[in-house]
Amino acid sequence: NGGSGTQTAGLSFGGTPTPPSVNTEEYDGTNWTAGGSLGTGRYDINGAGTQTAGLAFGGYPGGSATGATEEYNGSGWGAGGTMITARREVAGLGIQTAALAVGGFISPSSPTQRDETELYNGTSWSEQNDLTTEKRTSGAAGTTSAGLVFGGLVPPNTSTDQTEEWDGTNWSEQNNLNTTRSHLSGAGSQTAALGFGGYISGSGGT
């Protein structure tokens, strides 16, 4: 499932029940409560933003990856601009009006990792400079002018400890994670980030 927000105002959406979930839950620092349903149920989804101004994009609703984007206003989801390249397992960072969708892959029949970076301006997506290495299931943190992507799966579907920094224009390699892993999550800023959870074995499923 995807997520966004803060420790005391979090948002979780989508997921893997069959069919793919439309559920949204809001966290207040103590408890989870139901929020408005996604328009398109999907898993391998990601997002950005806050509990009252969230963004959900990409994922797998069944059949093939989607580029669908939805915006959350604190109670319900509305359609946003469609991603240029439909992908699942992308890394997401930023806010609702300035977000990045990074990496990912398209389908199990073609599970090659992607290096695309797309920028959302609150209305539409635009192509940006690519990652230095194709990857998916990475963790991410930061903003569209100072972003961070770390870990994940790189060709040929191998876990990595690689970290890349985004300066608003280009990605550059930085110090590696202490533990090589994929399918991890991230939070924080480029200079004070957390990477947590994940899958440590050498490769991951599609």
Side-chain angles (χ1 to χ4, degrees):
N1 61 321
S4 60
T6 67
Q7 186 183 72
T8 56
L11 197 65
S12 177
F13 42 87
T16 57
T18 302
S21 178
V22 298
N23 292 344
T24 298
E25 295 191 30
E26 300 178 2
Y27 188 65
D28 63 7
T30 305
N31 299 302
W32 291 94
T33 57
S37 297
L38 285 164
T40 301
R42 45 199 146 140
Y43 62 90
D44 290 348
I45 187 175
N46 216 322
T50 67
Q51 190 182 87
T52 56
L55 194 67
F57 44 84
Y60 184 70
S64 61
T66 182
T69 299
E70 298 186 42
E71 300 176 358
Y72 194 66
N73 63 8
S75 60
W77 294 95
T82 303
M83 294 171 66
I84 297 166
T85 301
R87 285 169 283 158
R88 53 195 284 194
E89 294 185 352
V90 296
L93 60 91
I95 60 175
Q96 188 185 79
T97 55
L100 289 181
V102 186
F105 84 116
I106 294 175
S107 73
S109 62
S110 178
T112 302
Q113 289 78 10
R114 311 291 294 193
D115 59 9
E116 288 98 336
T117 299
E118 295 186 32
L119 172 68
Y120 191 67
N121 64 5
T123 304
S124 60
W125 294 93
S126 60
E127 293 186 6
Q128 306 295 311
N129 288 327
D130 294 339
L131 288 161
T132 66
T133 302
E134 299 94 338
K135 53 178 67 77
R136 63 185 177 101
T137 74
S138 300
T143 68
T144 54
S145 59
L148 196 66
V149 168
F150 40 87
L153 291 170
V154 298
N157 247 21
T158 302
S159 295
T160 184
D161 58 6
Q162 186 186 49
T163 297
E164 297 192 39
E165 285 187 359
W166 174 254
D167 64 6
T169 304
N170 296 302
W171 293 98
S172 60
E173 292 190 34
Q174 304 297 324
N175 290 334
N176 294 335
L177 288 166
N178 292 314
T179 303
T180 298
R181 59 200 193 274
S182 62
H183 299 81
L184 71 167
S185 295
S189 66
Q190 188 186 79
T191 56
L194 286 175
F196 45 93
Y199 187 79
I200 294 177
S201 186
S203 65
T206 58

